Amino acid sequence: MPEEGEGEGEGEYYGKHGEPRKYDPTFKGPIHNRGCTDIVCCILFIICILGYIAVGILAWSQGDPRKVIYPTDSRGQFCGQAGTELANKPLLFYFNIMKCASPMVLLEFQCPTTQMCVEKCPEKFMTLVKAYTNKKDFDYYKTFCKEGVTNTMGIPEILRLGLCPAMLTPSRPFTRRCFPALGEKGGVITVGNNSQFDDGSGKMRDAKDLVDGVKNATVVIEARQVVMKIFEDYTQSWYWILLGLVIAMLTSLLFIVLLRFLAGIMVWVMIAMVILVIGYGIFHCYMEYAGLKGQAGANVTLQQLGFQTDFTVYLQIRQTWLAFMIILAIVEVIIILLLIFLRKRILIAIALIKEASRAIGHVMSSLFYPLFTFVLLAMVVAYWAVTAVFLSTSNEPIYKVFNESVCEHSRKTCEPANYSTSPEKLECPDSECLFAFYGGETIYHKYLIGLQFYNVFLFFWCANFVTAMGQMTLAGAFASYYWAFVKPDDMPAFPVFSALGRSLRYHTGTLAFGSLILSIVQIIRVLLEYLDHKLKGAHNKCTKFLLCCLKCCFWCLEKFVKFINRNAYIMVAIYGKNFCTSARDAFFLLMRNMIRVAVLDKVTDFLLFLGKLLIVGLVGIFSFFFFSGRVKAFEDTAPHLHYYWVPILTLVVGSYLIAHGFFSVYAMCVDTLFLCFCEDLERNDGSAARPYYMSSTLHEILWKDAAVAPSPSSAQQQDAEDLQLKRQQTQEEEGDLRP
């Protein structure tokens, strides 16, 4: 009777999580005779891709990246653009920089004064009244005037027509714009070594009056200045960054190859090195923290310092290093505690990694597949970035009325070509029609934000599609290895190419379906971040709490969808069914083996994550000492940069992506072997008639952690072990363990 009770409990358990797989003598691994799946989604994806191409062509025909690169004068012309009459005039000159002190500058991002392109900035004080009396000075002065100024014109006429500025002040080029050469002498603001200047109307003004104008004008271009400095740093250090990424790739490849032959030793070495690298990070942060003790300004808090574009400033205060030290110490403690609590599971996970190494040894081309994925992702990112730039610069120049006195037409749109004879000019004689910004009123410009949204959404969809294709391809290759009764004789000649061909030929729709679901969740997260950014000024605690909850929920949902998609693609690669059926089968299979998933599969993921962390840590430490000039041997070799954190951060992110790409092969191999193992347990019983496809080593590893699975009889188990032992001996003789 106990057997009946056990059978009823087992049936009730399986009933909750689907029926287990039945024995099928014809099943020999990934099915070759399969049909196309999720055809509707495939057609939808193709249509959206064609629409994406159309958006790109439309953006490229309407956009103009020069609007980002070159400063624009009052006529909407680009200063310094090659092939134009302004090619030798790369700098933008403001007629009256003090008008930039208006609060409207921060709202409209444009100074209400005439702006023109010049060859070089003014180098000395000069007023129009004084320059007019000297031919040489007036000729120099006219280089900062509009066309049409002659020696026969009077000063009142020149100023009335707005052809020349009333004065010139010594200026310096800054981000391709001429700003007053402000300085400080004895605590007094000076310009051109003078504390006062003539404003052109006979009044003497203090040099400090120029500060507000310069400050507001620089607010408009501060972001561009930082970007330009970062760009210059990249031009100075790109070859070192490339070398560092190559080193990261070689290091990752070396780790993978060593894992193939020395899995047990390499995992423990990896664990020890991660602990040592983080420990060194804690020690270095403490030494920096202690070294800043007593130095002037080192005790300033991060809150007092505020945001600084030069991040090296933060490294000069003690609180930064204290924060780094605390964060690294917390990470170190968490890793050590996890290693202590999971020590037994780690031994089993190491054995599973050994089995994965054996599988990769038979599918060595899988190690290089991430390079193909990387190239495709780079193409997707490049297409998105270029399209985004062209879309953002596809607006038309908008001109508005700017005036000094009260005028009812102020800030209204105008046409510069005929403004001098327009009613607005007659009513407001001192007004000017100047370039304000880029915009437009056409249907294309009205729906421009929609095109930008479509560009972002298709970027997510295409990127997720490429990632999904890589997962299904690797799953198909490793499933071919697992379900080969005699390895490698029963495997395809080119398992990776065969799996890639099946994925694209039959399951493009399934890949598009899974990546579409994930993209919808991700675009919702982007919209939530956008709302959070827009509502930062609001002090409604209820709104903040609701947004925080929504962001947390959708973050969890994204992780869950990624988990379901990954396992669904493995089932699709094996059985060739549609996405929903495969996702359901994978989910129920994992639920029937929940304990194994929790204690074994995730422990393996943790060990592989430590490997990625080690590579990132090593590359990060070496790049820090190289680019920061802390090592004297590299002082002359390292490039001189504005922000040395730019190449360091690039290398850290790049090395993580490279390491993730290589270690993802192992992670996909482990996940595929795990699902195949669970299927094998349900399909077969280990008898001579229904032997397991798993190796005896893998059976010994994973059978210990069986949660709910029917136990074979002792005779059946003995027959299966004898059969597996003979098969393993045959495989070893045929070179099964060779890469």
Side-chain angles (χ1 to χ4, degrees):
M1 294 302 295
E3 292 180 1
E4 293 180 2
E6 289 174 4
E8 291 174 2
E10 182 182 306
E12 182 181 353
Y13 177 81
Y14 283 137
K16 292 179 180 178
H17 305 105
E19 292 296 326
R21 294 282 181 182
K22 304 297 183 182
Y23 173 68
D24 182 4
T26 63
F27 180 73
K28 302 295 182 182
I31 296 172
H32 295 279
N33 296 325
R34 56 179 72 194
C36 297
T37 55
D38 299 302
I39 298 175
V40 175
C41 201
C42 178
I43 296 173
L44 177 63
F45 182 66
I46 293 174
I47 293 173
C48 290
I49 289 295
L50 292 177
Y52 197 22
I53 294 173
V55 169
I57 294 173
L58 182 62
W60 299 337
S61 64
Q62 298 289 329
D64 192 350
R66 295 173 302 177
K67 297 172 184 176
V68 178
I69 301 172
Y70 301 104
T72 310
D73 67 6
S74 297
R75 298 179 183 177
Q77 297 173 315
F78 304 115
C79 300
Q81 181 188 351
T84 66
E85 59 181 10
L86 300 178
N88 296 324
K89 297 181 178 181
L91 305 175
L92 188 68
F93 169 70
Y94 297 89
F95 270 28
N96 189 352
I97 191 67
M98 287 187 292
K99 289 186 179 180
C100 295
S102 169
M104 295 301 295
V105 174
L106 301 179
L107 298 177
E108 299 182 351
F109 294 96
Q110 187 72 10
C111 290
T113 186
T114 302
Q115 302 165 41
M116 62 176 293
C117 302
V118 295
E119 186 176 349
K120 58 182 181 178
C121 297
E123 298 174 347
K124 52 187 175 181
F125 272 118
M126 194 173 291
T127 63
L128 178 59
V129 176
K130 291 183 179 179
Y132 192 78
T133 59
N134 186 298
K135 185 179 182 302
K136 184 178 179 181
D137 288 345
F138 191 55
D139 289 339
Y140 172 79
Y141 203 96
K142 284 191 293 185
T143 59
F144 302 98
C145 297
K146 295 180 182 179
E147 296 178 358
V149 179
T150 63
N151 294 338
T152 59
M153 298 177 67
I155 295 176
E157 183 182 6
I158 293 174
L159 293 177
R160 180 175 57 82
L161 297 176
L163 298 177
C164 291
M167 63 170 180
L168 299 178
T169 58
S171 304
R172 295 188 188 129
F174 180 66
T175 63
R176 297 193 176 189
R177 289 160 174 81
C178 295
F179 289 112
L182 296 175
E184 189 173 351
K185 189 175 182 180
V188 178
I189 301 296
T190 61
V191 57
N193 294 323
N194 296 314
S195 60
Q196 290 185 326
F197 64 94
D198 189 336
D199 66 357
S201 62
K203 296 180 180 179
M204 297 301 293
R205 304 283 295 270
D206 292 332
K208 65 181 181 180
D209 294 341
L210 294 168
V211 174
D212 290 336
V214 173
K215 191 179 296 183
N216 276 356
T218 53
V219 166
V220 179
I221 61 168
E222 186 173 358
R224 182 177 292 181
Q225 174 212 355
V226 175
V227 171
M228 291 300 294
K229 285 187 176 181
I230 291 175
F231 180 76
E232 289 176 6
D233 287 344
Y234 277 124
T235 59
Q236 293 290 326
S237 60
W238 66 269
Y239 45 90
W240 292 110
I241 293 174
L242 189 62
L243 179 62
L245 293 177
V246 170
I247 293 173
M249 184 179 69
L250 294 177
T251 306
S252 301
L253 187 60
L254 178 63
F255 266 78
I256 295 296
V257 173
L258 290 176
L259 274 176
R260 163 68 184 90
F261 297 102
L262 304 169
I265 297 175
M266 282 303 300
V267 169
W268 287 114
V269 169
M270 196 164 56
I271 291 172
M273 289 188 68
V274 167
I275 295 174
L276 290 175
V277 167
I278 298 177
Y280 173 77
I282 296 171
F283 169 75
H284 181 80
C285 291
Y286 173 77
M287 294 302 294
E288 294 285 350
Y289 174 77
L292 290 173
K293 185 177 181 180
Q295 292 190 14
N299 292 322
V300 176
T301 63
L302 293 173
Q303 187 176 4
Q304 293 172 336
L305 186 62
F307 177 75
Q308 301 291 329
T309 55
D310 186 1
F311 291 150
T312 56
V313 174
Y314 294 106
L315 302 181
Q316 307 302 320
I317 60 176
R318 303 184 73 202
Q319 197 176 76
T320 302
W321 294 105
L322 180 63
F324 287 158
M325 184 169 58
I326 292 173
I327 292 171
L328 290 176
I330 293 173
V331 172
E332 183 89 324
V333 170
I334 291 175
I335 291 176
I336 292 174
L337 289 177
L338 285 174
L339 291 173
I340 293 173
F341 288 123
L342 300 175
R343 60 188 183 279
K344 292 183 179 179
R345 300 297 175 188
I346 287 175
L347 296 174
I348 301 174
I350 289 174
L352 185 59
I353 291 177
K354 288 181 180 179
E355 188 65 24
S357 300
R358 190 173 292 112
I360 291 175
H362 288 288
V363 194
M364 284 297 288
S365 57
S366 62
L367 291 176
F368 301 97
Y369 186 85
L371 297 178
F372 177 65
T373 301
F374 175 78
V375 171
L376 292 181
L377 285 176
M379 292 172 61
V380 171
V381 172
Y383 186 88
W384 163 78
V386 172
T387 304
V389 169
F390 275 86
L391 282 174
S392 61
T393 59
S394 59
N395 291 312
E396 298 173 347
I398 300 297
Y399 299 89
K400 287 192 174 185
V401 177
F402 291 93
N403 61 289
E404 295 184 4
S405 60
V406 178
C407 178
E408 61 176 340
H409 303 293
S410 179
R411 302 306 188 268
K412 290 184 179 180
T413 56
C414 58
E415 289 293 333
N418 57 0
Y419 185 74
S420 58
T421 58
S422 66
E424 291 86 352
K425 181 67 173 178
L426 295 176
E427 294 180 22
C428 307
D430 62 341
S431 62
E432 291 182 278
C433 184
L434 304 178
F435 167 77
F437 55 85
Y438 289 101
E441 298 296 332
T442 64
I443 296 177
Y444 170 76
H445 295 104
K446 287 181 180 179
Y447 292 99
L448 196 57
I449 185 67
L451 295 177
Q452 286 281 23
F453 179 83
Y454 186 79
N455 183 34
V456 174
F457 180 74
L458 262 293
F459 164 70
F460 281 126
W461 197 356
C462 293
N464 290 328
F465 180 87
V466 171
T467 304
M469 184 176 67
Q471 292 175 346
M472 188 179 291
T473 299
L474 292 175
F478 294 128
S480 300
Y481 161 83
Y482 185 93
W483 295 110
F485 195 77
V486 178
K487 304 174 179 64
D489 294 346
D490 294 343
M491 293 174 59
F494 303 100
V496 173
F497 290 105
S498 299
L500 178 61
R502 288 195 302 270
S503 300
L504 291 176
R505 182 179 178 183
Y506 299 108
H507 307 302
T508 299
T510 300
L511 295 171
F513 191 15
S515 54
L516 173 63
I517 297 172
L518 181 58
S519 300
I520 291 173
V521 176
Q522 290 174 332
I523 203 69
I524 292 174
R525 289 193 63 202
V526 170
L527 292 175
L528 288 174
E529 292 292 342
Y530 177 77
L531 283 175
D532 188 31
H533 176 72
K534 287 294 183 181
L535 297 175
K536 267 188 176 180
H539 298 287
N540 191 330
K541 293 184 178 179
C542 181
T543 305
K544 288 183 178 179
F545 176 75
L546 181 61
L547 269 177
C548 185
C549 291
L550 286 173
K551 287 164 64 176
C552 180
C553 290
F554 276 95
W555 179 84
C556 295
L557 180 60
E558 181 183 353
K559 297 297 179 184
F560 178 74
V561 170
K562 284 183 177 179
F563 175 76
I564 291 296
N565 283 8
R566 186 182 181 89
N567 290 283
Y569 296 144
I570 296 174
M571 301 301 282
V572 173
I574 298 173
Y575 295 104
K577 297 182 179 179
N578 61 40
F579 178 81
C580 293
T581 302
S582 301
R584 181 198 62 195
D585 293 344
F587 181 74
F588 284 150
L589 180 62
L590 293 171
M591 290 300 293
R592 295 195 295 269
N593 297 270
M594 190 184 302
I595 296 179
R596 289 193 185 101
V597 175
V599 302
L600 184 59
D601 192 37
K602 296 307 165 190
V603 174
T604 308
D605 290 342
F606 172 68
L607 292 180
L608 295 177
F609 172 74
L610 290 183
K612 291 184 279 189
L613 200 63
L614 175 61
I615 293 173
V616 171
L618 291 174
V619 173
I621 288 175
F622 284 119
S623 61
F624 172 77
F625 282 109
F626 179 79
F627 289 108
S628 64
R630 300 295 179 95
V631 180
K632 292 184 178 180
F634 298 140
E635 277 184 337
D636 297 330
T637 308
H640 299 285
L641 308 172
H642 297 288
Y643 310 124
Y644 68 77
W645 51 265
V646 169
I648 296 175
L649 190 61
T650 305
L651 279 173
V652 167
V653 174
S655 60
Y656 177 81
L657 294 176
I658 291 172
H660 177 74
F662 281 101
F663 278 89
S664 64
V665 176
Y666 256 89
M668 201 66 208
C669 182
V670 169
D671 290 345
T672 305
L673 294 181
F674 182 78
L675 277 185
C676 291
F677 164 79
C678 296
E679 288 265 323
D680 199 5
L681 283 181
E682 294 183 354
R683 285 182 174 276
N684 306 301
D685 58 7
S687 63
R690 296 164 56 185
Y692 291 126
Y693 280 80
M694 71 189 81
S695 66
S696 57
T697 306
L698 186 61
H699 177 266
E700 184 181 353
I701 296 166
L702 297 177
W703 187 258
K704 296 177 182 179
D705 291 323
V708 179
S711 302
S713 64
S714 58
Q716 289 175 331
Q717 192 168 354
Q718 184 62 43
D719 291 341
E721 289 177 357
D722 293 341
L723 184 63
Q724 289 169 358
L725 183 60
K726 290 178 181 178
R727 184 172 29 155
Q728 188 173 6
Q729 290 173 350
T730 303
Q731 292 170 352
E732 290 176 355
E733 291 174 1
E734 294 177 356
D736 177 51
L737 299 179
R738 292 200 306 267

